[in-house]
Amino acid sequence: MFDIGFLELLICAVIALLVLGPERLPTAARAAGRWVGMARRMVNQFSSELERQLKAEELRQELRKAGDVGLEDVQKTVKDALAEARKYEHMILPEGQTRPPRPAPATRRTPSAASPADTPKATDTGPDEPARDTPQSNEPPSGSPEHRS
């Protein structure tokens, strides 16, 4: 970066010794070292951030190129393959029987999409009562108001 040789550094050190004196020179050298260290860290941080940004931009460009090529070609290939498979469907199935088309994976029913009637209901328990895993009988408990009357 700067073209400073050993002779220039020696001349600067002699001038600093004459100007500052032997008492203040160590503290001035430490302060100068801290400033130089901070400047180097800032330059390194700036250059690494610049490199990261350049790499990120290159990745974005590659993703754009890959995204433009893929989706339509894949859809067309899948549709062509399905059409080809339908041509040979008669070889697999018995005569006169055709298979109903299957729903797309997004429209199939999954356990998480089950209706509320299909899901088991939790028993109502108080805050002090633990939940029971066993099914309960239809008889009310002995301490209920129905048994007292």
Side-chain angles (χ1 to χ4, degrees), residues 35-108:
W35 288 348
V36 169
M38 286 192 317
R40 283 186 179 177
R41 281 190 296 274
M42 286 175 54
V43 167
N44 288 337
Q45 184 179 5
F46 178 75
S47 63
S48 66
E49 184 65 29
L50 185 64
E51 287 177 22
R52 274 188 245 138
Q53 291 295 329
L54 289 173
K55 286 180 183 178
E57 186 59 34
E58 287 175 8
L59 285 174
R60 284 187 200 108
Q61 288 176 355
E62 288 179 22
L63 286 173
R64 282 187 202 125
K65 288 178 187 175
D68 292 342
V69 173
L71 188 59
E72 292 98 19
D73 292 340
V74 170
Q75 287 177 341
K76 185 178 182 298
T77 305
V78 168
K79 285 181 183 179
D80 291 344
L82 284 173
E84 180 103 10
R86 285 191 185 110
K87 286 181 190 176
Y88 300 106
E89 186 176 35
H90 69 279
M91 294 177 157
I92 299 172
L93 296 174
E95 289 224 14
Q97 182 183 2
T98 59
R99 203 178 213 188
R102 292 176 47 183
T107 61
R108 289 186 187 160

